[in-house]
Amino acid sequence: MERRKKQLVKRIGIFDSGAGGLTVLKELKASISGVKYYYLGDTARLPYGTKSSETIIRYTKQNAAFLIGKKIDVLIVACNTASAYAIPELRKFAADIPVTGVIHPGAKRAAKMTENGKIGIIGTRATISSGKYQKELKELDPDFRVFTNPAPLLVPLVEEGMVTGEVTEKLISMYLEPLLRKRIDTLILGCTHYPLLKQTIHEMYPGIMLVDSAEPIRDILLAGYEFPSGNGKTEIYVTDYPEGFGLLSHRFLEGNFDKIEHIDLQKLWKASNGTKIKKTK
Ligand code: DGL
C-alpha cells in the first residue's frame, strides 16, 4: 500500500492564557527544533478558568486569528480551558489548518497509563465543569472511575513562580488528598500551569502517575507531520506587559527564544473586522 506523504510543517502556533503553555513549547522545541514557533500568552485576560464559555470562545478565536496571521501550519491550543470549550468553534474558524487541543491527547495518555482504572483530574473550574476529560475517558473505557477536583489557586501560584515551598505543598495536598482517598493511580494535570508543579507533586506522592499535555502533543505532531531540520526561531507574544513573562520564559525555556513582544490583541482584532489578523510582521 502506498504511504501518504506527511505534510511539512514549518511554523507552529501555540497559545495559552498565560505562561503554562511554555511547558508545551519547551517539550516541542526539544524534539522538533527546525520549525519556527509563535507563542501567544493572553496574559492580560488570564485566568480563562473562571470565565463563561462565550468569553473563552471569543478570546480563543482572537488568539487563533493572531497566530494564523503569522502563517502557521498547525495551531496548538495549549490551554485546557480553551480546549474544553472552543475546539469545535476553532476548527470552523481556522478551517484551513489543523487545530490540536490538549484534552483528547491527555485523556488517551492517562487511559494507557492507569493500572487500576481510577483516574483523577485536576484543572480549572471551567475545565472540570465542562466534563470534557470525563467524557473522553469514559469513551475510551466505560469502566474507568474518574474523580475530579478543581484546583484554581495553583494557577496564580505558578504565575508567581512559586512552584515549591510550604504554601505550594499545602495547596497541592488540599486539592489532591480527596482524590487520593479514592485510590487513584493516575492524575491528569488538566491545566497547562500544573506541569510546572510536576516535580513537587511527584516528590509528595511518588506512587501516582502524572499525565501532562506536553508529551502527548509532541507525539501527535511527530506521528503526523514532517519538519525541517536545523534550529528554528521562537517568538513570544503577550497581551500584557512582557517583563514578568520574560522572567518566566527565561526560566522555563532557559533563554532559548528570540524575542518577546507586547501586542494589543483587541485593537488588532477590531482592525481585522473579526477575521484572520493579517497586519502582523
Ligand atoms: N491555561 C489555563 C488552563 O490550562 C489555566 C489558567 C487559566 O485559568 O487561564 O486551563
Side-chain angles (χ1 to χ4, degrees):
M1 210 170 65
E2 201 189 319
R3 270 242 187 121
R4 237 182 80 223
K5 205 165 177 285
K6 289 182 186 173
Q7 183 194 337
L8 178 68
V9 165
K10 292 185 183 162
R11 297 188 177 90
I12 297 181
I14 304 175
F15 77 82
D16 181 33
S17 54
L22 291 174
T23 53
V24 176
L25 177 61
K26 185 175 179 183
E27 186 71 46
L28 294 185
K29 277 172 70 67
S31 316
I32 307 168
S33 60
V35 303
K36 182 154 185 184
Y37 289 98
Y38 298 92
Y39 181 94
L40 171 60
D42 191 10
T43 44
R45 304 188 291 193
L46 172 115
Y48 282 15
T50 52
K51 306 273 186 323
S52 67
S53 58
E54 291 78 15
T55 303
I56 294 165
I57 291 170
R58 181 158 46 88
Y59 289 176
T60 297
K61 267 189 182 170
Q62 295 175 1
N63 297 338
F66 173 75
L67 291 170
I68 291 167
K70 298 288 185 190
K71 303 207 181 338
I72 53 169
D73 302 305
V74 174
L75 176 64
I76 309 288
V77 183
C79 173
N80 285 259
T81 308
S83 298
Y85 288 92
I87 294 294
E89 289 285 334
L90 268 189
R91 290 207 168 123
K92 274 188 244 154
F93 181 71
D96 35 3
I97 54 166
V99 176
T100 301
V102 285
I103 294 201
H104 179 69
K108 249 176 110 178
R109 174 66 58 107
K112 243 193 195 158
M113 278 167 106
T114 183
E115 282 163 15
N116 70 3
K118 293 183 184 173
I119 301 170
I121 309 167
I122 51 172
T124 62
R125 281 191 201 295
T127 298
I128 299 298
S129 63
S130 76
K132 280 279 154 43
Y133 268 115
Q134 299 89 313
K135 188 167 168 275
E136 292 275 355
L137 287 167
K138 287 284 184 184
E139 274 170 19
L140 289 163
D141 187 338
D143 289 335
F144 281 154
R145 300 199 50 207
V146 181
F147 304 95
T148 62
N149 204 8
L153 292 176
L154 299 184
V155 173
L157 264 191
V158 169
E159 288 284 325
E160 283 297 321
M162 288 175 63
V163 294
T164 53
E166 204 182 321
V167 174
T168 305
E169 285 182 17
K170 258 217 164 92
L171 277 173
I172 290 173
S173 67
M174 181 182 94
Y175 288 131
L176 293 198
E177 290 297 337
L179 301 176
L180 295 167
R181 281 199 288 278
K182 303 287 184 189
R183 307 237 174 279
I184 59 158
D185 70 349
T186 303
L187 177 70
I188 296 181
L189 304 174
C191 169
T192 22
H193 286 66
Y194 302 165
L196 300 170
L197 301 166
K198 208 170 172 182
Q199 187 61 28
T200 308
I201 298 176
H202 176 68
E203 278 163 20
M204 290 170 71
Y205 306 105
I208 303 296
M209 291 178 277
L210 302 176
V211 177
D212 70 50
S213 321
E215 287 172 19
I217 292 282
R218 176 204 62 199
D219 293 349
I220 285 180
L221 290 179
L222 286 173
Y225 305 97
E226 300 274 356
F227 305 97
S229 51
N231 263 324
K233 290 203 152 71
T234 299
E235 296 183 1
I236 296 177
Y237 296 88
V238 283
T239 53
D240 207 340
Y241 69 96
E243 283 75 17
F245 200 90
L247 285 178
L248 282 171
S249 309
H250 273 288
R251 167 122 58 91
F252 298 124
L253 300 177
E254 283 134 19
N256 190 7
F257 60 95
D258 299 280
K259 75 165 178 181
I260 179 159
E261 193 179 302
H262 170 259
I263 52 159
D264 189 336
L265 200 48
Q266 305 274 22
K267 214 164 144 189
L268 290 169
W269 175 253
K270 263 200 188 139
S272 77
N273 278 324
T275 58
K276 323 282 152 52
I277 293 172
K278 293 205 181 75
K279 283 189 192 151
T280 52
K281 276 181 272 162

